[in-house]
Amino acid sequence: MVKIDPHAVPHRYIRDHKDRPIFDPLSSISSEVPVIDFSLLTERDQHEQKKLDSACKEWGFFQIINHGVGEELLQKMNGAATGFFDLEMEDKQKYSMAENDLQGYGHAFVFSEDQKLDWADLMFLMTYPPQYRNLKYWPLAVPGFKETVEEYTREINRVSGEILGNLSVLMEMEEEGLKELHQVVKLGMSMNYYPPCPKPDLVLGISPHSDGGTITILLQDDHITALQIHRQGHWIPVKPLPGAFVVNVGDALEVWSNGRYKSVQHRVVTNESRARMSIVMFVTPHDEAEMGPLEPMLRDAPAMYRNIKCIDYIRHFLGRKLDGNALDFLKLQGNQ
Ligand code: OGA
Ligand code: NI
């Protein structure tokens, strides 16, 4: 990406004034993203389930601790991703996204020639179920890459399954309810690499957006605070809790829950001194699955969203600029 002059920020990265990440003194006084003890969720502890419910309602974001994914695997995963981004540019480009493909190495969300660019490179791979993998994009030359991604995927699949099980119960379904609604639970992994930026006040690592899937499970750098969520008119930093995962509600879950759970806007800011890596796992339904408010969620409230097939929503989501309001497309009139 930007290697030509280390002190200059190319014009296409410089945000309009209103979009720049100015320091907001109010953002640090508000309370922090809830922390959920995953091991209690596996026991279906009702108090912890309540915390999960209110985190999804009030914040759309939470961190999970005691998830049982070993420290060593987290480090290996970071190492595998770093191994890829450390390759020479010409080697990385062997894995470049083909046109009309989501998988591979590239720039996040480029829609048009005049759009502002995010200060990030990414590598996106479908990792589960195995038949969705496209190994031509997997940098097998990076030692241990394949084994590590496979192991990490298995572990995240376990974590995600537990979260979906608990959410199903909270949404008054059987444990397997959400899983069945997915038809096939798919996992897509994005390794996001944010190089240091000489002018962090002028750029964004990722533009404000919500995630389109069901939930997202994110491993962030333990030492750099960069992810921010939009809350009550402010951008609130998600301070890393070492070894924890950040989990957020995506658009599909907001729709299924008829708005009880919130798919919240978030963005990433950059810094001058250190590169940051995040490993993002998007949990998404099968293309043919149906998004729409579930019957138990309609007892006390009218339907807020219309039904849509997942593939049609994904097309809409990807076919627009990343301005954060993809869900408006499904909101029913009078409920905005
Ligand atoms: C994303 C995202 C946050 C991060 O990839 O959708 O929000 O910290 N990433 O990289
Ligand atoms: Ni996101």
Side-chain angles (χ1 to χ4, degrees):
M1 146 180 186
V2 253
K3 287 247 163 84
I4 309 126
D5 171 356
H7 300 292
V9 172
H11 180 70
R12 283 200 67 195
Y13 290 85
I14 298 179
R15 302 279 162 164
D16 296 340
H17 277 90
K18 66 175 185 1
D19 299 328
R20 291 182 189 172
I22 49 162
F23 176 69
D24 174 357
L26 274 179
S27 71
S28 58
I29 60 169
S30 87
S31 53
E32 289 180 20
V33 173
V35 177
I36 308 269
D37 184 336
F38 179 85
S39 67
L40 295 175
L41 288 184
T42 62
E43 297 162 14
R44 302 294 180 261
D45 177 279
Q46 291 200 351
H47 177 71
E48 213 59 16
Q49 286 185 325
K50 266 212 169 101
K51 276 171 66 182
L52 173 66
D53 187 53
S54 76
C56 294
K57 275 181 182 159
E58 313 293 335
W59 285 83
F61 265 84
F62 53 93
Q63 304 209 50
I64 49 172
I65 55 170
N66 296 331
H67 44 63
V69 184
E71 173 71 39
E72 198 187 330
L73 177 58
L74 301 183
Q75 276 172 16
K76 268 200 311 192
M77 188 56 243
N78 266 314
T82 305
F84 171 71
F85 287 104
D86 279 351
L87 294 176
E88 295 297 327
M89 185 51 89
E90 64 181 79
D91 288 325
K92 280 188 286 206
Q93 280 173 342
K94 291 178 190 151
Y95 305 98
S96 290
M97 277 173 203
E99 213 171 317
N100 293 322
D101 202 344
L102 286 178
Q103 298 194 62
Y105 169 62
H107 223 115
F109 300 104
V110 181
F111 299 92
S112 67
E113 290 285 315
D114 55 1
Q115 160 210 340
K116 299 295 179 197
L117 293 177
D118 291 339
W119 196 268
D121 278 356
L122 62 80
M123 173 60 150
F124 184 80
L125 300 173
M126 289 305 302
T127 66
Y128 185 86
Q131 64 268 29
Y132 286 74
R133 292 178 187 160
N134 188 345
L135 289 182
K136 82 172 183 193
Y137 291 120
W138 291 46
L140 302 182
V142 176
F145 186 92
K146 183 162 182 284
E147 296 70 25
T148 302
V149 170
E150 283 172 350
E151 193 184 346
Y152 188 76
T153 298
R154 263 197 306 279
E155 283 292 88
I156 296 294
N157 202 18
R158 170 182 64 80
V159 170
S160 136
E162 285 289 344
I163 296 173
L164 294 183
N166 279 275
L167 288 171
S168 300
V169 173
L170 289 167
M171 293 165 75
E172 299 171 47
M173 291 182 282
E174 302 288 324
E175 294 246 339
E176 300 293 299
L178 273 172
K179 196 173 156 202
E180 280 163 17
L181 285 163
H182 283 68
Q183 299 184 8
V184 177
V185 175
K186 298 197 304 183
L187 300 179
M189 178 188 235
S190 187
M191 291 161 241
N192 295 356
Y193 176 74
Y194 306 92
C197 175
K199 296 273 188 300
D201 297 345
L202 304 182
V203 310
L204 287 173
I206 297 193
S207 308
H209 66 284
S210 63
D211 296 344
T214 312
I215 55 172
T216 305
I217 301 178
L218 176 135
L219 176 64
Q220 54 171 350
D221 185 304
D222 281 349
H223 306 289
I224 303 172
T225 304
L227 173 63
Q228 301 181 335
I229 67 177
H230 198 236
R231 183 172 165 77
Q232 296 163 354
H234 298 279
W235 287 103
I236 310 292
V238 182
K239 295 198 191 117
L241 197 58
F245 291 117
V246 177
V247 182
N248 63 288
V249 172
D251 294 350
L253 185 56
E254 175 167 330
V255 172
W256 275 326
S257 70
N258 195 32
R260 168 155 134 180
Y261 299 146
K262 303 289 184 306
S263 176
V264 166
Q265 303 265 317
H266 49 285
R267 70 179 188 182
V268 174
V269 298
T270 62
N271 77 81
E272 233 168 323
S273 52
R274 295 188 58 184
R276 173 176 182 265
M277 182 84 69
S278 63
I279 312 290
V280 193
M281 197 71 95
F282 298 103
V283 180
T284 56
H286 187 265
D287 284 356
E288 296 300 315
E290 183 92 357
M291 282 162 67
L294 299 174
E295 191 270 331
M297 303 289 104
L298 292 172
R299 280 196 209 116
D300 308 316
M304 305 262 287
Y305 312 84
R306 64 190 171 84
N307 285 33
I308 190 168
K309 226 202 292 186
C310 281
I311 183 65
D312 295 326
Y313 186 66
I314 293 167
R315 285 207 184 100
H316 164 75
F317 188 90
L318 297 174
R320 44 179 276 291
K321 197 171 156 296
L322 197 64
D323 63 4
N325 291 315
L327 257 187
D328 285 350
F329 180 61
L330 300 185
K331 287 202 173 131
L332 292 169
Q333 271 188 347
N335 288 326
Q336 306 251 349

